[in-house]
């Protein structure tokens, strides 16, 4: 089992930045792909970014390319999401997710992820 705890959310003005963190515990010695999803008010949960253990490949939603950067510190068992140039439409609850697999062909497919954090709120004002 893997437990995930997000942190770093908050309220910022448009154009500002936030850095989200996801601390993993449990069976962290096994390879696993990890990603970030978000869910805004009255919206479905959507893919934001993800990173594979193998191949070191990453994937981003078109809406965040060039603004968000996903990374991981394996020594600290922590996943990060650096969010720059934030827009009001980025407002959502952000969830950290992990897959039992070390490599995912489709990083954006939500059904590929087995473990989820409780989420952290990000609010961007105009």
């Amino acid at each position: 089992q893997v437990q995930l705890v997000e942190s770093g959310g908050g309220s910022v003005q448009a154009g500002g930045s936030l850095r989200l963190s996801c601390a993993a515990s449990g069976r962290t010695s096994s390879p696993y792909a990890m990603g970030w999803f978000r869910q805004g008010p009255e919206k479905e949960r959507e893919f934001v970014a993800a990173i594979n253990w193998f191949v070191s490949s990453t994937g981003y939603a078109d809406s965040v390319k060039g603004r968000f950067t996903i990374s991981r510190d394996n020594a600290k068992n922590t996943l990060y999401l650096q969010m720059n140039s934030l827009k009001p439409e980025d407002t959502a609850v952000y969830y950290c997710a992990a897959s039992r697999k070390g490599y995912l062909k489709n990083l954006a497919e939500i059904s590929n992820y087995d473990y989820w954090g409780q989420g952290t709120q990000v609010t961007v004002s105009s």
Side-chain angles (χ1 to χ4, degrees), residues 31-99:
Y32 48 87
M34 298 184 71
W36 291 95
F37 291 76
R38 67 186 182 187
Q39 187 167 12
E42 301 180 354
K43 295 182 178 180
E44 296 181 354
R45 190 168 299 186
E46 65 177 2
F47 170 75
V48 177
I51 184 168
N52 274 312
W53 176 274
F54 299 113
V55 190
S56 299
S57 60
T58 58
Y60 295 91
D62 289 340
S63 60
V64 305
K65 286 182 179 178
R67 299 189 298 120
F68 292 9
T69 302
I70 189 171
S71 63
R72 64 193 299 170
D73 187 334
N74 292 334
K76 296 182 178 180
N77 296 317
T78 302
L79 179 74
Y80 302 100
L81 184 68
Q82 179 66 47
M83 305 185 294
N84 299 325
S85 302
L86 284 163
K87 305 174 181 179
E89 49 263 48
D90 294 318
T91 295
V93 176
Y94 283 70
Y95 297 90
C96 176
S99 172

Side-chain angles (χ1 to χ4, degrees), residues 10-18 86-87 91 122-126:
S11 299
V12 298
Q13 295 185 17
S17 299
L18 283 174
L86 284 163
K87 305 174 181 179
T91 295
V122 172
T123 302
V124 184
S125 60
S126 300

Side-chain angles (χ1 to χ4, degrees), residues 88-117:
E89 49 263 48
D90 294 318
T91 295
V93 176
Y94 283 70
Y95 297 90
C96 176
S99 172
R100 295 188 182 98
K101 299 178 180 178
Y103 176 79
L104 295 174
K105 182 172 64 176
N106 186 358
L107 288 166
E109 175 52 56
I110 193 170
S111 65
N112 284 332
Y113 297 87
D114 305 292
Y115 309 103
W116 294 85

